[in-house]
Amino acid sequence: MTPKLIIFDLDGTLVDAVPAVTEAANRVRARKSLADVDPGFVRKVMGNPDDYGGETALLVGPSAGGKERRDALMLFGRNLDVVFTDFARPYPGVEEGLKLLQRQGIKLAIVANRITLFLHQWVEWLGWASYIQCIVGVDMVAHPPPAPNAIEYVLRFLEVSPAEACLVADGGPELSAGIQYGIRTIQATYGYADPLPHLTGITRFEELSGIVFAS
């Protein structure tokens, strides 16, 4: 069955944000006189954040306390918003793919562990505001991904049942949220995480329409 709704992660699925995250992290690290973080390490953390203790692993030293980590995350978020439009770029085929899905009457949404206001601003900058009908960030639910609350929020808001929905994400928290909620989950293996053999995967965004319309 062709889904009525597709929920996307942002980083690693629609947009390659590694350069932006690297720049934002290094601005935080510079204030602490820490050496620049390597983009390869950034990619690993973004693909499997739980393995590294989250994005704070990019920002502070291992001995940092809770307050220092929280402050670093707040500063990182502000810096990421500033540098996103200069450093982040959509993956090939995303613009055309979103247009195609919308023309077929499929509702589109974004769930991501970023501040919702920033997500809206970035979607506007990318020129996708007319495609995306719902955006849920980390601050809109009590328990963000890997908990399924954000998925549930989108389905209720857009009045779609779990059987009629599909999630596309590259790895980590968002994939776990989709699996927990029981909706069809597709991995964008071109993103940051290692491929999961038990999930259907796409190696480039253009492959998504073939899977969606063949179902």
Side-chain angles (χ1 to χ4, degrees):
M1 179 179 68
T2 300
K4 293 184 178 180
L5 164 67
I6 300 178
I7 303 170
F8 293 100
D9 183 17
L10 185 69
D11 303 353
T13 303
L14 300 178
V15 172
D16 182 7
V18 165
V21 170
T22 302
E23 176 66 19
N26 285 336
R27 292 189 181 196
V28 175
R29 294 175 68 86
R31 292 170 65 101
K32 301 177 180 297
S33 300
L34 296 173
D36 284 355
V37 68
D38 180 75
F41 181 61
V42 172
R43 180 175 293 274
K44 289 180 180 179
V45 172
M46 292 180 71
N48 299 284
D50 290 345
D51 292 350
Y52 298 91
E55 287 182 325
T56 53
L58 305 173
L59 310 176
V60 297
S63 62
K67 184 179 185 304
E68 183 179 356
R69 291 176 181 274
R70 290 191 297 272
D71 290 347
L73 274 175
M74 290 182 63
L75 180 59
F76 167 73
R78 292 196 294 269
N79 278 310
L80 183 59
D81 186 43
V82 169
V83 305
F84 188 89
T85 56
D86 290 328
F87 290 89
R89 292 294 178 266
Y91 285 107
V94 169
E95 176 87 20
E96 297 79 5
L98 294 177
K99 286 181 182 178
L100 173 62
L101 295 170
Q102 185 194 51
R103 284 200 301 267
Q104 297 299 319
I106 298 175
K107 298 177 180 180
L108 307 176
I110 289 175
V111 165
N113 280 341
R114 302 290 182 202
I115 299 298
T116 306
L117 174 61
F118 295 164
L119 291 171
H120 277 279
Q121 291 174 170
W122 298 340
V123 167
E124 287 277 356
W125 169 74
L126 289 160
W128 299 344
S130 62
Y131 310 143
I132 307 299
Q133 295 176 258
C134 183
I135 298 174
V136 179
V138 69
D139 52 317
M140 284 186 62
V141 290
H143 303 288
N149 301 56
I151 304 295
E152 181 180 16
Y153 182 103
V154 172
L155 267 61
R156 288 186 175 181
F157 182 80
L158 295 177
E159 299 180 329
V160 175
S161 72
E164 298 170 318
C166 174
L167 172 76
V168 183
D170 68 305
E174 286 78 16
L175 282 180
S176 297
I179 293 167
Q180 283 190 56
Y181 202 68
I183 67 172
R184 184 181 184 190
T185 303
I186 297 171
Q187 184 180 20
T189 60
Y190 54 82
Y192 310 137
D194 294 331
L196 299 175
H198 61 284
L199 291 179
T200 299
I202 53 173
T203 60
R204 52 194 181 91
F205 192 85
E206 293 93 332
E207 295 174 5
L208 179 61
S209 60
I211 293 175
V212 166
F213 298 126
S215 58

